[in-house]
């Protein structure tokens, strides 16, 4: 009987638990009477979007009589304030109908880059799947080029979740979250005293209170007062009359964890809250010091009333919230009056996880997928070292070529958030010790598939990979710079377009009503293949400009013009003489499958010629060049607002003829070379005179 029971248990382990559909968020628009009731953030959408949206016949209704320029001037969040987990596939369920059949741009749930959302003239109930490359669980629709009407009846986000093989245990982190104990000796702790500030779970900032020598008012341990028969944390908010956006954080409250909330990890948060008047507050992630900002989105907006309410949620720390410790409540984005805010019964708990060092392995060629639940634990090797062996000697089907090493095990997101990354190229020899640092979602490429013994020196923060057996290492190739001198003839741009402040008011940049953008002139370095998150590359080039003091920021794109992520290789200050540049670029999760580095060359208003030459873009180990070493196919330029990127050295008017040809094509699709393609074509295409990213 015992043997049969054991066999059944083993079969269950091999077969795995059955996945269950989990609803992450669901929005039924028939439950709203007015668009003003619909808000995940204080910033619901741009002014032009909110003017076009309403609730009609139980649907979110969009009506537009003219297009906006640019199209992203009209954008809004139909879903936001939810956390996504990188690598998880989410399904968007929708019901939609429009007066015009047209695609609109949409940022998928937890996903960059932008995709296309199809609107047809018949009611369609459909689904779209997205693999999350970001922890920000928002959907952003950009519909400025849609002229007509459409209606959305509902939106829902789900994902398939496999129950954990081990029970999840949560550990409470906070001390005195119920406010029942006075702060005692900690009452005088300074907000920036990192030796002690994490011992206080609740912080307050009230305008004009706790001033420093510069006249700024600083956070202090939250007041504890008796309210409704029990001790609670109180913020005596003062009138928020600072000019502009900062008035939103004239008064603040923080929930402080006693340790870092690592990217990718999950925590449970609950608290009771009320205020002396109705008020909507924003939440952010901050560093260990309350008031040290990290990321704009934490747990969404919290709507206070004069009655006690309870917040309960499970939160995944997003990629952008690196080294976050505290959750900040900006108490005055809308209500600027003197309002008292009350918090009680605060609880913040983390999953109980295995701690140490653990390695998960992969080799797509051998069918070996990452198994985070069963990551191999490093063991004591003596002399202060830890060791683990991956793969099995004599069994080629166990050879691995990529690993992830983490300091925790037991939850996929937490594992990815606590990974480490070597500082250089792995050669597989005993002498190949490398420094390592913490880096979320770090994938480590091995020099070749094989069996490896890994040693870690935790105290010295060094690591080495010793190849036991396996394939021959790839040899570096002779990579030389592409000598092409690219000249971007940047045209004078219009005054910078106005923006929107956090409170919804217009932010005038240069002159009222301008339409200019920093990306009206651009240069693109385009890789020969899509690059995956975590890949490490090296890029170098020479650069100058005809105007000393010209500047350029950089972004990561898919195809040229298909924005993915704001951070690339930094900003550049041009001189009239050539300067040298070289850096390492690790592909972030937000730009998984990126192809292009974009330079925004209209940051200065005046016309300017920009010069780039001797470009090298290669993998860190030097075994692959990512661009051709001759020719112009990897260099695209955009010169002037409203123009389209084109290959440097070719006819810039060619793309315009493609646009004109596609505009009269009754739905025909063309690539950038003007060739007609079918619906299965992937990449930047022209359809009915408009550019789309086909996926």
């Amino acid at each position: 009987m015992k043997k049969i029971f054991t066999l059944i248990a083993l079969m269950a382990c091999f077969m795995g638990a059955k996945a269950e559909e989990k609803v992450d968020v669901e929005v039924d628009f028939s439950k709203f009477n007015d668009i003003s009731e619909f808000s995940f953030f204080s910033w619901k959408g741009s002014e032009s979007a909110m003017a076009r949206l309403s609730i009609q016949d139980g649907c979110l209704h969009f009506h537009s009589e003219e297009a906006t320029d640019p199209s992203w001037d009209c954008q809004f969040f139909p879903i936001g304030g939810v956390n996504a987990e990188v690598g998880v596939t989410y399904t968007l369920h929708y019901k939609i109908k429009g007066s015009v059949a047209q695609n609109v741009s949409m940022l998928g749930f937890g996903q960059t880059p932008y995709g296309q959302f199809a609107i047809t003239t018949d009611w369609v109930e459909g689904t779209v799947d997205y693999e999350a490359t970001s922890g920000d669980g928002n959907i952003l629709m950009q519909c400025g080029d849609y002229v007509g009407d459409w209606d959305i009846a509902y939106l829902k986000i789900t994902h398939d979740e496999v129950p954990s093989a081990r029970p999840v245990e949560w550990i409470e982190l906070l001390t005195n979250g119920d406010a029942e104990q006075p702060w005692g000796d900690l009452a005088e702790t300074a907000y920036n005293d990192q030796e002690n500030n994490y011992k206080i779970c609740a912080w307050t900032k009230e305008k004009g209170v706790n001033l420093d020598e510069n006249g700024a008012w600083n956070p202090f341990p939250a007041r504890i007062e008796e309210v409704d028969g029990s001790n609670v944390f109180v913020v005596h908010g003062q009138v928020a009359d600072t000019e502009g956006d900062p008035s939103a954080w004239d008064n603040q409250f923080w929930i402080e964890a006693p340790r870092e909330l690592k990217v990718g990890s999950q925590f449970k948060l609950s608290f009771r809250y009320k205020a002396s008047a109705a008020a909507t507050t924003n939440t952010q992630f901050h560093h260990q010091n309350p008031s040290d900002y990290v990321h704009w989105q934490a747990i969404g907006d919290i709507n206070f009333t004069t009655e006690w309410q309870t917040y309960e949620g499970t939160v995944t720390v997003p990629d952008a919230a690196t080294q976050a410790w505290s959750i900040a409540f900006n108490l005055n984005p809308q209500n600027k009056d003197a309002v008292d805010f009350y918090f009680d019964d605060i609880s913040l708990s983390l999953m109980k996880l295995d701690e140490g060092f653990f390695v998960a392995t992969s080799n797509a060629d051998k069918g070996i997928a990452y198994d985070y639940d069963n990551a191999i634990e490093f063991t004591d090797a003596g002399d202060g070292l830890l060791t683990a062996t991956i793969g099995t000697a004599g069994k080629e089907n166990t050879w691995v070529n990529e690993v992830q090493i983490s300091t925790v095990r037991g939850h996929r997101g937490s594992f990815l958030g606590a990974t480490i990354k070597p500082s250089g190229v792995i050669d597989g020899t005993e002498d190949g010790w490398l420094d390592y640092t913490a880096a979320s979602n770090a994938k480590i490429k091995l020099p070749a598939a094989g069996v490896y013994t890994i040693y870690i020196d935790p105290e010295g923060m060094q690591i080495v990979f010793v190849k036991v057996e396996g394939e021959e290492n790839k040899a570096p190739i002779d990579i030389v710079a592409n000598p092409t001198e690219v000249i971007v003839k940047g045209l004078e741009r219009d005054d910078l377009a106005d923006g929107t402040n956090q409170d919804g008011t217009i932010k005038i940049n240069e002159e009222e009503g301008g339409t200019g953008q920093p990306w009206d002139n651009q240069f693109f370095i385009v890789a020969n293949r899509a690059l995956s998150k975590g890949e490490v590359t090296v890029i170098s080039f020479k650069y100058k400009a005809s105007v000393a003091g010209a500047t350029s920021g950089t972004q990561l794109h898919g195809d040229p013009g298909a924005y993915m992520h704001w951070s690339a290789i930094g900003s550049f200050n041009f001189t009239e003489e050539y300067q040298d540049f070289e850096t390492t670029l690790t592909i972030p999760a937000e730009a998984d499958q990126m192809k292009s580095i974009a330079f925004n060359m209209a940051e200065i208003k005046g016309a300017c010629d920009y010069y780039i030459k001797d470009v090298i873009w290669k993998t860190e180990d030097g075994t692959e060049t990512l661009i051709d070493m001759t020719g112009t196919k990897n260099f695209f330029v955009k010169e002037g607002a409203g123009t389209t990127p084109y290959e440097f050295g070719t006819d810039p008017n060619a793309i315009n003829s493609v646009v004109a040809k596609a505009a009269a094509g009754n739905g025909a699709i063309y690539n950038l070379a003007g060739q007609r393609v079918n619906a299965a074509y992937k990449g930047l295409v022209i359809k009915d005179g408009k550019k789309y990213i086909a996926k």
Side-chain angles (χ1 to χ4, degrees), residues 163-232:
S164 176
R166 59 189 239 175
V168 176
E169 183 179 346
W170 295 88
I171 302 173
E172 176 63 48
L173 295 185
L174 302 186
T175 300
N176 202 33
D178 59 5
E180 288 304 315
Q181 299 297 323
W183 294 122
D185 293 340
L186 293 172
E188 301 302 320
T189 302
Y191 76 100
N192 55 1
D193 176 4
Q194 294 197 336
E195 297 296 322
N196 293 292
N197 63 5
Y198 64 87
K199 300 173 184 177
I200 297 171
C201 67
W203 290 83
T204 296
K205 189 180 80 171
E206 300 169 1
K207 184 169 186 183
V209 177
N210 195 27
L211 296 173
D212 61 21
E213 63 274 11
N214 298 316
W217 53 100
N218 295 316
F220 54 88
R223 302 179 191 274
I224 297 176
E225 299 177 6
E226 184 175 337
V227 176
D228 298 334
S230 64
N231 288 347
V232 303

Side-chain angles (χ1 to χ4, degrees), residues 140-458:
L140 177 66
M141 294 186 71
Q142 294 182 339
C143 38
D145 56 356
Y146 190 97
V147 179
D149 298 81
W150 49 252
D151 294 276
I152 300 178
Y154 68 83
L155 295 170
K156 182 171 70 171
I157 298 287
T158 65
H159 73 275
D160 290 337
E161 186 168 85
V162 178
S164 176
R166 59 189 239 175
V168 176
E169 183 179 346
W170 295 88
I171 302 173
E172 176 63 48
L173 295 185
L174 302 186
T175 300
N176 202 33
D178 59 5
E180 288 304 315
Q181 299 297 323
W183 294 122
D185 293 340
L186 293 172
E188 301 302 320
T189 302
Y191 76 100
N192 55 1
D193 176 4
Q194 294 197 336
E195 297 296 322
N196 293 292
N197 63 5
Y198 64 87
K199 300 173 184 177
I200 297 171
C201 67
W203 290 83
T204 296
K205 189 180 80 171
E206 300 169 1
K207 184 169 186 183
V209 177
N210 195 27
L211 296 173
D212 61 21
E213 63 274 11
N214 298 316
W217 53 100
N218 295 316
F220 54 88
R223 302 179 191 274
I224 297 176
E225 299 177 6
E226 184 175 337
V227 176
D228 298 334
S230 64
N231 288 347
V232 303
F233 301 113
V234 181
V235 185
H236 292 300
Q238 306 300 303
V239 174
D241 54 7
T242 299
E243 184 176 352
D245 288 351
S247 64
W249 51 89
D250 272 356
N251 300 284
Q252 290 177 286
F253 179 78
W254 289 267
I255 297 174
E256 171 101 2
R259 56 183 285 187
E260 178 185 338
L261 302 171
K262 289 186 175 294
V263 167
S265 66
Q266 286 187 343
F267 63 88
K268 280 188 174 182
L269 178 67
S270 64
F271 55 88
R272 296 196 306 129
Y273 61 101
K274 76 169 187 174
S276 61
T280 296
T281 68
N282 307 145
T283 62
Q284 303 170 334
F285 281 110
H286 283 205
H287 288 298
Q288 180 178 343
N289 295 348
S291 79
D292 188 2
Y293 170 84
V294 181
H295 184 52
W296 64 275
Q297 179 190 344
I299 60 173
D301 287 356
I302 303 297
N303 298 309
F304 285 75
T305 68
T306 56
E307 301 295 328
W308 285 106
Q309 302 177 72
T310 299
Y311 171 88
E312 293 182 336
T314 301
V315 182
T316 301
V317 182
D319 298 333
T322 305
Q323 296 182 334
W325 284 60
S326 55
I327 298 169
F329 294 72
N330 295 335
L331 301 178
N332 301 114
Q334 295 179 3
N335 191 332
K336 308 297 182 180
D337 297 333
V339 177
D340 293 332
F341 294 86
Y342 307 96
F343 296 82
D344 194 14
D345 297 332
I346 304 173
S347 172
L348 193 157
S349 56
L350 290 179
M351 287 182 179
K352 183 178 180 180
L353 301 170
D354 298 331
E355 296 188 0
F357 283 88
F358 308 89
V359 57
T361 61
S362 173
N363 186 338
D365 296 336
K366 303 293 184 183
I368 301 173
Y370 280 114
D371 181 359
Y372 300 103
D373 285 340
N374 295 301
I376 299 169
E377 183 173 8
F378 281 75
T379 58
D380 186 2
D383 296 327
L385 301 181
L386 301 175
T387 186
T389 297
I390 50 177
T392 303
K395 295 184 177 180
E396 185 176 338
N397 64 332
T398 68
W399 289 358
V400 300
N401 58 12
E402 184 177 280
V403 302
Q404 289 186 286
I405 298 175
S406 179
T407 57
V408 297
R409 179 181 64 183
H411 173 249
R412 180 184 179 281
S414 300
F415 182 101
L416 296 177
T419 53
I420 63 173
K421 177 181 179 297
S423 60
V425 177
I426 298 165
D427 62 15
T429 71
E430 294 181 359
D431 297 326
W433 283 91
L434 298 170
D435 295 334
Y436 69 81
T437 57
S440 64
N441 199 30
K443 291 183 177 179
I444 303 171
K445 299 281 188 181
L446 300 176
V451 178
Y452 290 80
T453 297
I454 310 169
Y455 295 93
I456 292 178
D457 174 5

Side-chain angles (χ1 to χ4, degrees), residues 523-541:
F523 168 61
F524 302 87
I525 303 175
V526 187
N528 289 328
R529 64 173 176 84
L531 299 171
S532 300
K533 58 188 177 186
E535 282 199 65
V536 182
T537 69
V538 176
I539 186 164
S540 64
F541 51 82

